Each structure stands twice: as structure tokens, then as C-alpha cells.
Amino acid sequence: MSSPATSSPATSPPAGSAAAVPRGRVDACPGALQTHTAADGELARVRVPGGLLTSAQLRVLAAAARDLGDGALELTSRGNLQLRGLAPEAAPELGRRLAAAGLLPSESHERVRNVLASALTGRSGGHLDVRPWVAAFDAGLCADPALAALPGRFLATLDDGRGDVTGLGGDVGLLALDPDTVALTLAGVDSGLRATPADAVDLALAATRAFLAERAAQGGTAWRLAELPDGPARVAARLPGPRAAPVPLPPAAVTGPVGAEVQADGRTALAGVVPLGRLTAAQADLLASLADEVQLTPWRSVVVPDLDEHRVDDAAVDLHRTGVVLDADSPWLRVTACAGRPGCARSLADVRADAATAVTSGALPAGGARQHWAGCERRCGRPRGDVVDVVATPAGYRVNCGRTPLPPTPR
Ligand code: SF4
């Protein structure tokens, strides 16, 4: 691969952001049971509400990746996991393993359990611990048969007040404004509706139902709340409860925590980035050996919490040895990539291998600015915010810096 050239910051709009266009079909997001056929085999997406996994669940996933898939787990921008390279007949076995591990509480709702929660919640920072919200929201979702009709792209964000996930494009969200007051956010804006922490999940579930009701009223098959004309206001109007003047919401966080973080209880959490989001089964087994619970983040990183002081250094060494990045200055924090070859038939390049080569050789384009490598113009998985696009073309990689893309450089 030749080094792409570049010159200025990116300003192009995020790919994949909600567009005010009617959807002509029901979404086909993959799930754990409803797999997607990719060029390298079946792809299964396992929803992990809040990114919260027990060590036992992580071991089950690692074994499934090793036994049934290509040996790795892909971290997604919604804190979920994907297995690739599955044989068509592997899906039932995967489903059995996931169900036994408590990772498939409802077959009918498995694709709609998209829930982001603040990283480190309940352990460090934030106004409150949103882990109980995660469990309650997920349980409420799965308990309502009507909510199985949600699109697989529907997203809930549960933010403990640190402002890390509110800006990440949730259709419905809760944001703790202080320890006693929670704001309901709708498609990235404050609805003005308020709840106590104890009532907040009920309000979020009511808003989720209201989205479906409003979608039906408009006679469409919208995948996201922002796609409905006047959607957030119309959904808010369907909901009872106290209201306040809307407040500005925090912007999308570019990265999550990286490195060691001292918890409120004096123990330490280690947060590490998984390069290009590809967590090998061996790395997953290591994570499972370090803590009883881990948290996946939307920044394709993992948090290993609750480490006693005497274990921190050894754990950090082990993680570093396997390629988990604990250095907040690492270029890996600024590079993402789509699946590319061989997983995607559309791809014009093995973008992950090329991106990895660029990182390790110090040849990242755009001066190492935050960038997303993609095998075609669709730019799947592009993060929100200002991101330089490095897109494969028949003539080489084209680097979009600003509104005018640079011509491709030969590969
Ligand atoms: S951006 Fe293109 S090449 Fe990459 S995964 Fe999406 S469709 Fe495939």
C-alpha cells in the first residue's frame, strides 16, 4: 500500500447518521439468530446491553469464536459483539450457547437490545450508577411483546451524568442532570421531560413505545426516531410527566477512558483499546481471568474493573502483551476501520491490514488525525464527529480532508 496524502481536517457529515428519508423496507440488522451472510461466512451480532458482561459470559463468547467462528470477537460502536466466519449450520449451536449463558433472554427481542451505558458507571464518576437502569430497561424491553417490533437500529443511551454516551445518537436516552433529576433525551435533544432516578426507566420505556406509536401514526417503517418528521417533539407530546426548560446536551465523546482509573472504592479499573475492535479469543479469555465483570465501550475498548492495587501492574502487563492498548497517546485510539476484505464483498482492499500497517509503520495519513478506513464509499462503522475518511478506490486510497476530497493515490 502506498501512503495516502492529506492536508486538512475533515468536515464531512458522519456516514450513517439518521437521514430524514422514508424507509422502503424493514431493517435487516443482523442478530445472534438472524445472521447476515458476508463474504467470509455468516456474521452474528450479539447484543450486550450496557456492554456489561460477566467473566463467565465472556468465556462462552471466546469459546464460540474459537469453535464456531474465525477466532475473534468484533467490538461494535454500540458496545455489542460480532462473530464472523460462521458456517451456516453454526447459528443454532451459537444460539444454544448464548441462551445458556444468559445472553439471549428473548429470541423475539434479541436484535433490539441496543443499550449504551456510561463507561465506569457505578465505579468512578457520574451522578449515579446506571447499571440497574441497564438491567431494568432491558428487562422491560424484553417483557413487552410489542417492542419486538422495534428496528434493529434503535438505540437507547443511559448516561450517568458524565456525558459520555448521550451524544452517541440514541433514539431514546436518559441523562442524569444531578443525583435526583434525570432528563429524557430524544434523538439527541433534551425533550424537557424529567424523572427521578427511580422513575427514569419507566419513562424511557414509555418513550420507546411512543416511538412505535408515532411511527405507526405516520404510516412508515422508519428505523430511527430522527427519521420521523418532527419525531422527537411528537413523541414527547405523547408522554406525561414534569417538564423543564431543555438544556444543551454534551457532544459525542471521541474516546472513552484509557489507562488506569482509581475507583471510588479505592480499587482500580484498567481501560484498554482493542485495535480495530478485533478482540481475539485469547484476549477475551485473559480479560475474563482478570475480573468478574468487564464492560465493553462504544469506543471499541474494554474496561477491567475492581482490581486490587497489588494486581494492577501485572494485569496491565498482560493486557499490553496481548495487544490491548492502555496508552492514551497511542495512534490506535484515532484509527477505526470497516470490515473490508475478506469479510465484505464490496471492499476494494484489506483495509484493516492496511490501516494496521500504517499505524505500525508510522505512516498514517492526515498527520495521524482521527480517521476511518473503509473499503468503499459506504464507510460502515464511521464514528461520529470530525473524522478523516480514508476510502479505498480502484486507484488507491482517497483521503477526504475537508469538503474537497483529495484525488486517490495509487495502491
Ligand atoms: S464500508 Fe464498504 S467495504 Fe466496508 S464493510 Fe461497509 S460495505 Fe463493506
Side-chain angles (χ1 to χ4, degrees):
M1 182 199 74
S2 62
S3 297
T6 185
S7 63
S8 61
T11 57
S12 56
S17 58
V21 294
R23 299 287 188 183
R25 59 184 173 84
V26 175
D27 83 281
C29 267
L33 302 173
Q34 180 183 308
T35 57
H36 164 74
T37 302
D40 58 349
E42 296 299 303
L43 180 152
R45 185 173 298 161
V46 182
R47 267 62 179 190
V48 185
L52 298 166
L53 285 170
T54 66
S55 57
Q57 290 172 328
L58 191 52
R59 285 193 181 94
V60 167
L61 287 160
R66 194 180 283 119
D67 300 344
L68 307 173
D70 69 356
L73 300 162
E74 286 184 350
L75 278 61
T76 78
S77 60
R78 292 177 161 200
N80 292 322
L81 287 172
Q82 293 181 164
L83 291 89
R84 305 191 72 99
L86 298 161
E89 62 274 16
E93 172 62 15
L94 177 63
R96 278 191 290 276
R97 293 187 185 200
L98 296 177
L103 289 163
L104 202 56
S106 169
E107 291 190 10
S108 56
H109 293 69
E110 62 124 342
R111 295 187 318 119
V112 306
R113 302 169 61 232
N114 299 301
V115 182
L116 290 178
S118 292
L120 287 164
T121 188
R123 292 187 165 98
S124 172
H127 293 307
L128 40 77
D129 181 354
V130 301
R131 286 175 294 175
W133 283 358
V134 174
F137 184 83
D138 187 37
L141 203 68
C142 293
D144 186 340
L147 296 183
L150 285 168
R153 312 225 173 179
F154 189 85
L155 176 67
T157 57
L158 306 180
D159 196 312
D160 65 11
R162 77 188 67 210
D164 60 341
V165 296
T166 289
L168 296 181
D171 297 276
V172 165
L174 297 175
L175 171 65
L177 300 178
D178 58 48
D180 302 313
T181 313
V182 181
L184 176 75
T185 66
L186 296 172
V189 296
D190 181 8
S191 68
L193 282 149
R194 299 291 183 260
T196 66
D199 297 332
V201 168
D202 285 345
L203 179 60
L205 287 167
T208 302
R209 295 185 187 97
F211 161 68
L212 286 181
E214 182 59 31
R215 187 177 75 159
Q218 295 195 20
T221 56
W223 296 349
R224 308 297 309 273
L225 173 55
E227 296 170 6
L228 290 177
D230 211 18
R234 288 172 181 259
V235 166
R238 290 174 175 270
L239 300 170
R243 283 165 161 78
V247 298
L249 297 182
V254 173
T255 63
V258 179
E261 178 100 10
V262 177
Q263 301 178 183
D265 64 4
R267 293 185 289 178
T268 296
L270 287 176
V273 169
V274 178
L276 304 181
R278 186 175 164 85
L279 184 73
T280 66
Q283 287 174 320
D285 281 334
L286 171 63
L287 292 169
S289 74
L290 295 174
D292 294 336
E293 179 183 273
V294 300
Q295 186 175 18
L296 314 177
T297 83
W299 305 279
R300 295 179 173 88
S301 61
V302 290
V303 177
V304 181
D306 304 338
L307 294 168
D308 291 324
E309 187 178 354
H310 69 278
R311 298 184 58 217
V312 174
D313 287 348
D314 285 348
V317 168
D318 287 343
L319 290 168
H320 175 72
R321 177 176 49 77
T322 63
V324 176
V325 175
L326 299 168
D327 174 8
D329 295 324
S330 169
W332 281 120
L333 274 65
R334 302 189 296 276
V335 180
T336 54
C338 77
R341 284 183 188 160
C344 180
R346 284 173 167 264
S347 184
L348 296 171
D350 185 347
V351 290
R352 294 188 179 198
D354 290 343
T357 299
V359 170
T360 55
S361 64
L364 284 173
R370 189 172 177 235
Q371 55 195 263
H372 183 68
W373 290 57
C376 78
E377 297 292 345
R378 289 180 67 172
R379 298 175 293 166
C380 300
R382 187 184 193 274
R384 286 175 167 262
D386 286 344
V387 180
V388 173
D389 293 298
V390 185
V391 181
T393 76
Y397 282 103
R398 192 191 64 238
V399 182
N400 286 15
C401 292
R403 298 186 185 281
T404 306
L406 297 179
T409 55
R411 252 201 313 271

